[in-house]
Amino acid sequence: MKENYKLIVAYDGSRYFGFEKQKDQEATIQGKLEGVFSRIPGNEEGVEIIGASRTDAGVHARGMCANVFLDTEFSEEEIQDYGNRYLPEDIAIVSVKKVSPRFHARYNALGKIYRYSCYIGRTKPVFDRKILLHLEEEPDLEAMQEAAKFLIGKQDFKSFCGNPKMKKSTIRSISSIRIQKSQNLLRFYFEGSGFLQYQIRIMVGTLLEVGYHKRKAGDIPGIIDAKDRQQAGYTVPAKGLCLMKVLYD
């Protein structure tokens, strides 16, 4: 009998075309997971991995949540061990837990926490180049923190949406934004109910422009009101973005 399992998955997204399977791309996280789990005895007809988020190409995760229905006599630990034995080195199953058949990783999610990471310094972060955006000069932290306050709350973030053909609502709710610097590392933390395509990367680009005094913190409300992508800042590279945690009851 098939039972529902909740998975927490970590991955380096550098060489993948995002989480979700695509017809013309074999290298996706979902594709790799389904390829391995469908080889568990009893599941040869195939399985469907349901992810909580459709992370874009090049985006990483430490706490992606997914669920899958499996017909297996394996224990939770055996399922985890099997996955980690056959998955590529840049994908890991952090935990496996049997859950209610009603649990759905995407529909039951209440929110997500993302982190965007930068390295500040004249020397490039050679060994961390796949997960950090290199900034040669230090931006104004206080100016960025002031600007971030205007992005908090339930608002129409159309100006920060990277999909020009978006037909669904662009209203989203952000509950907190934290910007922290420790030595050479600058990190942006975003918590919200959900995010539009490239939204976080555009917000980080806009905040960095404030940090380099190319914009003012007080410009943010006008950018939001404009509902025009051209009014916001640039889209930072995917490599600095990481899904840290998916929030549930």
Side-chain angles (χ1 to χ4, degrees):
M1 184 180 74
K2 287 190 175 183
E3 295 189 271
N4 195 14
Y5 293 88
K6 177 183 178 182
L7 314 174
I8 301 298
V9 186
Y11 51 86
D12 175 346
S14 301
R15 68 186 186 98
Y16 296 99
F17 292 89
F19 181 88
E20 194 172 49
K21 276 195 310 185
Q22 300 175 40
K23 292 182 179 179
D24 56 345
Q25 297 291 351
E26 294 184 6
T28 66
I29 304 300
Q30 183 184 19
K32 293 296 182 183
L33 290 169
E34 290 182 355
V36 169
F37 280 92
S38 64
R39 297 203 299 267
I40 294 177
N43 299 273
E44 292 82 358
E45 293 184 2
V47 300
E48 180 185 8
I49 299 287
I50 301 169
S53 179
R54 301 170 181 175
T55 54
D56 295 319
V59 175
H60 318 294
R62 287 180 176 268
M64 167 64 84
C65 182
N67 71 287
V68 59
F69 284 87
L70 296 172
D71 185 357
T72 180
E73 295 181 357
F74 284 2
S75 67
E76 295 163 335
E77 288 186 356
E78 288 172 330
I79 294 171
Q80 181 182 1
D81 291 343
Y82 186 93
N84 286 330
R85 184 179 306 121
Y86 295 107
L87 283 166
E89 290 184 339
D90 48 9
I91 304 176
I93 306 298
V94 178
S95 67
V96 176
K97 181 181 180 182
K98 191 182 297 184
V99 290
S100 162
R102 297 173 62 86
F103 176 79
H104 191 287
R106 183 174 302 161
Y107 297 150
N108 291 149
L110 299 177
K112 302 177 181 73
I113 299 174
Y114 281 89
R115 181 181 74 187
Y116 195 91
S117 301
C118 308
Y119 177 86
I120 304 169
R122 292 177 61 190
T123 304
K124 294 179 288 186
V126 175
F127 299 106
D128 293 321
R129 68 191 184 281
K130 294 182 180 181
I131 59 172
L132 297 173
L133 173 64
H134 180 215
L135 305 174
E136 292 189 2
E137 297 181 4
E138 183 173 344
D140 185 334
L141 181 61
E142 291 186 3
M144 293 190 295
Q145 290 173 332
E146 185 64 27
K149 294 177 183 178
F150 294 107
L151 295 169
I152 303 296
K154 187 175 182 179
Q155 307 185 69
D156 190 335
F157 287 99
K158 187 174 183 178
S159 293
F160 298 89
C161 179
N163 181 2
K165 298 180 181 180
M166 183 73 169
K167 295 181 179 180
K168 296 181 180 179
S169 172
T170 48
I171 295 175
R172 295 292 186 273
S173 180
I174 297 178
S175 54
S176 71
I177 300 175
R178 292 183 291 117
I179 310 173
Q180 301 174 338
K181 180 180 177 295
S182 177
Q183 297 181 338
N184 293 86
L185 289 179
L186 175 66
R187 283 177 166 151
F188 300 77
Y189 292 86
F190 298 85
E191 180 176 337
S193 58
F195 298 92
L196 301 166
Q197 187 174 25
Y198 304 156
Q199 180 181 347
I200 293 176
R201 292 163 58 189
I202 296 170
M203 290 192 296
V204 171
T206 305
L207 291 171
L208 284 173
E209 289 182 358
V210 172
Y212 288 123
H213 304 296
K214 296 179 180 179
R215 299 175 184 266
K216 297 179 181 179
D219 293 340
I220 302 300
I223 295 172
I224 295 172
D225 290 342
K227 298 181 178 61
D228 179 2
R229 169 67 188 94
Q230 300 304 314
Q231 299 302 310
Y234 74 108
T235 306
V236 293
K239 64 180 181 179
L241 187 58
C242 183
L243 173 60
M244 302 298 288
K245 187 176 183 179
V246 182
L247 305 174
Y248 298 94
D249 279 335

